[in-house]
Amino acid sequence: MSSQDDSGISFSISNDQQNFRLLELPPSLLELIASEHPPVLYLKSEQPNSGAASAPTPTAVICTHDHTFEVRQVQSSNILYILQPSSNGLDNGIDSSSLSGVTAIGQCKALLELVPVQTQSVHFLRNAIPIYNEKKFLPDIHQQTSETRSKQVLLTNAPFSTAEFEAAWTELCAFEIEDEAWRPSASQLEQIWASFMTATTIRGIDVTNTFQYVDRILTVEEDCWDEAMPQAILRRLSSDHENTMEGWVLIDRVKCVQWVGRVYLEVLCHGSKRAPPNFLQLWKDHLPERWREDAKLDLLQAFFTDLGHGSITFKDHSLTATNAGVRAPAVSTTSKNKSKWHDRFKRTRT
């Protein structure tokens, strides 16, 4: 007969139960953390809006420099025990080295998982940053208001990564004056662009090639525009942000043509109006001569609604965005299986 000890593994439950939260990482993030140079992770959450009684409960996110993962709690009908090696050999008068066991020191009835999300960062910043008020910066009037915050404060409270924040900041042509963040309205963008085109034409500057942007190229003092506003527009249209910061600008042709068309369509359709029949010609008139023929309605498909009979109106995406305004779950083929993580664990047992 076999003399093998068939007593099995000793199992006990500790009276002093500890609290644990298990966090399941997506493979992409796990690979980064396990790499030679792991990234810094940021745990963030949207700052609650005390003025909105129906505002959704802020959700925690974990961010790398350029990706955002929403933290979700997944309930399970099974109880997961957290074990640590132990031995009860001494209690039975047996050599502890001959009998090993495990002790449950905690239980987990829920699992935290990280889900990649496509953030609605542009919508979030559009709501968080007020439209620039030129009268506020006239002499002897300037004073900081409760609605304005610095760029750093906005970034700290934005529930998405730094790279997504910077992309949205650039998209909105946002800028900062005296530690206050502002964004221009469509009407202000239209006026600044018109002034910029006039000024560069008078000075013989070819904006279709690389040019040097000098301070006060626009009559900003007469128009009450701060110099940060045209710089923000050029950063939005530039194909090289680093050179733009150094004073040299190369405007991206495709970006510029589409952006000018969208801005003018929004201005002309303000108040749910239809675009005028000569909208296409007006669009071309505000472009550099070499790029005029690039103005085609196909470039604005995402920004207008076809009313039929050749009429269009501006499509305001800020009205169709979700109330949360910060996240939309990324499409994942594994999300359905994630809720049954214990089934996957069971299949790995041998």
Side-chain angles (χ1 to χ4, degrees):
M1 297 180 59
S2 173
S3 60
Q4 182 177 359
D5 185 1
D6 59 356
S7 58
I9 298 177
S10 170
F11 174 77
S12 60
I13 299 178
S14 172
N15 292 327
D16 185 16
Q17 292 286 290
Q18 302 179 34
N19 294 321
F20 289 91
R21 280 296 182 96
L22 296 184
L23 182 65
E24 182 177 4
L25 302 178
S28 58
L29 184 56
L30 179 60
E31 184 178 354
L32 287 176
I33 294 177
S35 66
E36 185 177 353
H37 302 288
V40 176
L41 299 182
Y42 301 90
L43 179 62
K44 306 177 70 178
S45 178
E46 179 182 357
Q47 189 176 37
N49 184 0
S50 59
S54 60
T57 303
T59 300
V61 296
I62 288 181
C63 303
T64 63
H65 172 72
D66 54 358
H67 287 85
T68 302
F69 301 86
E70 183 177 357
V71 181
R72 295 183 180 178
Q73 180 170 278
V74 179
Q75 299 291 339
S76 173
S77 58
N78 293 350
I79 297 178
L80 176 66
Y81 286 102
I82 307 299
L83 307 178
Q84 73 175 16
S86 65
S87 174
N88 61 358
L90 294 177
D91 296 337
N92 299 327
I94 304 175
D95 182 5
S96 61
S97 62
S98 65
L99 182 61
S100 61
V102 292
T103 298
I105 59 175
Q107 297 181 9
C108 288
K109 298 182 179 180
L111 176 75
L112 296 179
E113 64 176 5
L114 300 185
V115 181
V117 290
Q118 298 172 345
T119 61
Q120 296 183 15
S121 51
V122 173
H123 177 71
F124 177 88
L125 287 188
R126 184 184 286 114
N127 289 337
I129 303 176
I131 292 177
Y132 176 71
N133 179 6
E134 60 270 22
K135 295 181 180 180
K136 181 176 183 294
F137 288 91
L138 293 176
D140 302 326
I141 294 181
H142 176 243
Q143 59 180 357
Q144 191 163 12
T145 63
S146 59
E147 67 175 348
T148 55
R149 289 169 286 179
S150 69
K151 181 180 180 181
Q152 184 57 49
V153 170
L154 287 169
L155 174 59
T156 301
N157 292 288
F160 39 82
S161 68
T162 300
E164 291 166 315
F165 178 93
E166 290 293 345
W169 178 271
T170 300
E171 172 68 23
L172 293 173
C173 299
F175 56 95
E176 193 175 33
I177 302 176
E178 301 180 10
D179 292 329
E180 293 183 10
W182 300 92
R183 64 180 178 88
S185 66
S187 177
Q188 291 170 343
L189 291 174
E190 181 266 333
Q191 294 176 50
I192 295 173
W193 178 254
S195 297
F196 173 76
M197 290 298 296
T198 299
T200 53
T201 300
I202 292 175
R203 290 165 173 76
I205 299 175
D206 182 8
V207 298
T208 64
N209 291 311
T210 302
F211 63 95
Q212 187 174 16
Y213 181 81
V214 295
D215 292 342
R216 303 296 177 183
I217 196 173
L218 303 180
T219 55
V220 292
E221 291 181 340
E222 296 178 6
D223 295 335
C224 295
W225 306 129
D226 188 273
E227 187 68 16
M229 297 182 72
Q231 289 178 353
I233 294 175
L234 292 179
R235 184 173 61 248
R236 165 67 174 81
L237 301 179
S238 174
S239 58
D240 190 338
H241 293 173
E242 292 185 3
N243 283 341
T244 301
M245 297 298 292
E246 297 175 358
W248 290 93
V249 182
L250 176 60
I251 295 179
D252 185 279
R253 181 170 182 165
V254 175
K255 285 183 182 179
C256 179
V257 172
Q258 184 187 59
W259 180 84
V260 171
R262 182 186 65 79
V263 168
Y264 277 88
L265 180 63
E266 182 175 358
V267 172
L268 294 171
C269 296
H270 181 69
S272 302
K273 298 178 182 177
R274 296 169 182 259
N278 63 337
F279 164 70
L280 195 59
Q281 186 59 47
L282 293 173
W283 180 7
K284 292 180 179 180
D285 290 343
H286 290 88
L287 291 172
E289 186 68 29
R290 295 181 183 177
W291 297 348
R292 288 166 60 91
E293 296 307 314
D294 291 358
K296 302 182 185 302
L297 284 180
D298 290 345
L299 291 176
L300 304 180
Q301 285 286 349
F303 304 106
F304 72 82
T305 300
D306 189 347
L307 301 177
H309 306 290
S311 297
I312 62 172
T313 188
F314 179 72
K315 182 188 296 184
D316 192 346
H317 289 280
S318 65
L319 299 178
T320 58
T322 62
N323 291 331
V326 296
R327 62 188 182 278
V331 176
S332 173
T333 57
T334 62
S335 59
K336 183 176 181 181
N337 295 328
K338 273 185 171 296
S339 61
K340 297 183 178 181
W341 58 270
H342 50 278
D343 289 340
R344 300 205 310 274
F345 173 76
K346 182 171 61 176
R347 289 195 295 270
T348 63
R349 297 177 59 186
T350 57

